[in-house]
Amino acid sequence: MNTITAAITAVGAYVPDFVLSNKVLETMVDTNDEWITTRTGIKERRILKDADKGTSFLAIKAAQDLIAKANIDPLEIDMVIMATATADMPVASTGVFVATEIGATNAFAYDLQAACSSFLYGMSTAAAYIQSGRYKKVLLIGADKMSSIVDYTDRATCIIFGDGAGAVLFEPNYEGLGLQDEYLRSDGVGRDFLKIAAGGSLIPTTAETVQNKLHNVFQDGKTVFKYAVTNMADASELILKRNNLTREDVSWLVAHQANKRIIDATANRMELEDSKVLMNIERYGNTTSATLPLVLNDFEHLLKKGDNIIFAAFGGGFTWGSIYLKWAYDKK
């Protein structure tokens, strides 16, 4: 078989040491452990407390973890795609800095922003570069320091988000493994339901925007939940039908870890048993761009060569989709 497919050949991850549990949140805002767990499935999340460290720190750590585990020379990496919604700073690309810091000085790099779908979109982008035949090693990193944009007096959002990073390496495959199909969509109707209002060209930063907390993430929870449940489930079901896959054919569902009820709804639409649904939301919360690679890293030991994996995500904007991928290796 001479056709090039793009396969994931290595994974890595990093989460900060500090654990923000539901019990601690009870002392900060009007909420409780039972309420949070029942509605989201989250028990705790990791927070990067260092004020002088940004998303790049998380990304570098995850990339270094992958490089060490896979024993690869960073000089062989052709490109770095940085999936993130919380770049270190405007204009100067976080991905470019990360690539330099990990020693991938032969690579070109850039940031990709599609909110919580950033990593999913990044998988499509990385695979396309590999399938073109021009590049052999594409490093895709998903990282977010969500604590930098969360208002910890807003109980609607502070219970959801955490900090973390994950990375995967895409390489050419000639056995038909790797990315098989994708269904990616977006709809600007969601612009006002999940956003940071100020700090961009539309509403530049002023003393008033800071005072009014317009630089913190805002979410209309009910609306986002409704769209997420429908679109993630629809996209995943479509991928199955388009590829003539039954629930028996699916080895694993790797869904964006935003809310356990959304993940459950997606799995139910696919008629998957719980044992095939990979989840770590209870430990990390919603790490935005990092959720999918963190799941892969945590459950890498379960993944076997040839496994059919369905990825699904939904993010602000709105952005969403599903990807069908055949796993390419057994963990050594």
Side-chain angles (χ1 to χ4, degrees), residues 23-282:
K23 290 295 184 183
V24 175
L25 278 174
E26 288 179 0
T27 68
M28 299 167 58
V29 291
D30 182 17
T31 191
N32 61 72
D33 174 66
E34 182 184 6
W35 193 93
I36 297 171
T37 304
T38 302
R39 285 161 178 77
T40 69
I42 302 168
K43 282 289 187 181
E44 58 189 37
R45 62 289 293 148
R46 301 297 185 95
I47 303 296
L48 181 59
K49 298 288 283 185
D50 308 61
D52 62 338
K53 292 182 173 67
T55 295
S56 61
F57 174 81
L58 302 168
I60 290 165
K61 287 288 192 180
Q64 289 173 336
D65 181 51
L66 181 151
I67 289 167
K69 289 197 304 188
N71 192 28
I72 64 169
D73 183 350
L75 293 175
E76 295 179 356
I77 298 172
D78 298 309
M79 66 176 299
V80 176
I81 302 173
M82 180 74 211
T84 186
T86 55
D88 280 5
M89 59 183 73
V91 184
S93 169
T94 302
V96 170
F97 177 70
V98 170
T100 300
E101 290 297 297
I102 64 174
T105 52
N106 289 325
F108 73 100
Y110 59 84
D111 295 353
L112 189 158
Q113 208 281 70
C116 291
S117 301
S118 296
F119 191 86
L120 189 78
Y121 281 23
M123 289 176 66
S124 170
T125 306
Y129 278 110
I130 292 293
Q131 290 164 351
S132 74
R134 292 185 180 183
Y135 305 101
K136 302 298 183 185
K137 284 183 169 61
V138 177
L139 180 64
L140 170 61
I141 306 170
D144 273 303
K145 185 182 178 181
M146 293 303 293
S147 61
S148 67
I149 59 172
V150 167
D151 175 6
Y152 283 94
T153 66
D154 175 15
R155 67 175 183 173
T157 56
C158 74
I159 65 169
I160 298 170
F161 296 104
D163 302 338
V168 301
L169 184 69
F170 274 92
E171 294 187 273
N173 183 277
Y174 300 93
E175 301 176 87
L177 303 173
L179 198 146
Q180 304 294 308
D181 194 13
E182 62 182 46
Y183 177 79
L184 305 177
R185 289 294 184 269
S186 61
D187 189 344
V189 70
R191 190 181 196 190
D192 291 329
F193 299 119
L194 180 51
K195 64 180 180 179
I196 293 177
S201 60
L202 187 63
I203 306 176
T205 303
T206 65
E208 287 185 352
T209 63
V210 174
Q211 183 179 0
N212 293 329
K213 298 184 177 182
L214 297 182
H215 299 270
N216 295 121
V217 64
F218 163 81
Q219 176 173 275
D220 179 338
K222 290 183 178 179
T223 302
V224 173
F225 181 88
K226 180 181 71 175
Y227 275 92
V229 166
T230 301
N231 288 316
M232 269 181 59
D234 284 352
S236 301
E237 185 180 39
L238 184 145
I239 280 287
L240 294 186
K241 289 181 177 178
R242 198 156 73 180
N243 291 277
N244 297 314
L245 296 172
T246 66
R247 65 179 182 178
E248 286 76 21
D249 298 320
V250 177
S251 306
W252 310 103
L253 171 64
V254 177
H256 172 52
Q257 308 288 294
N259 186 303
K260 185 179 183 297
R261 291 188 294 165
I262 298 174
I263 300 169
D264 288 343
T266 302
N268 289 338
R269 180 75 72 83
M270 298 167 67
E271 300 182 340
L272 290 183
E273 53 265 40
D274 291 345
S275 61
K276 291 186 175 183
V277 183
L278 302 182
M279 272 195 276
N280 57 13
I281 188 172
E282 72 280 357

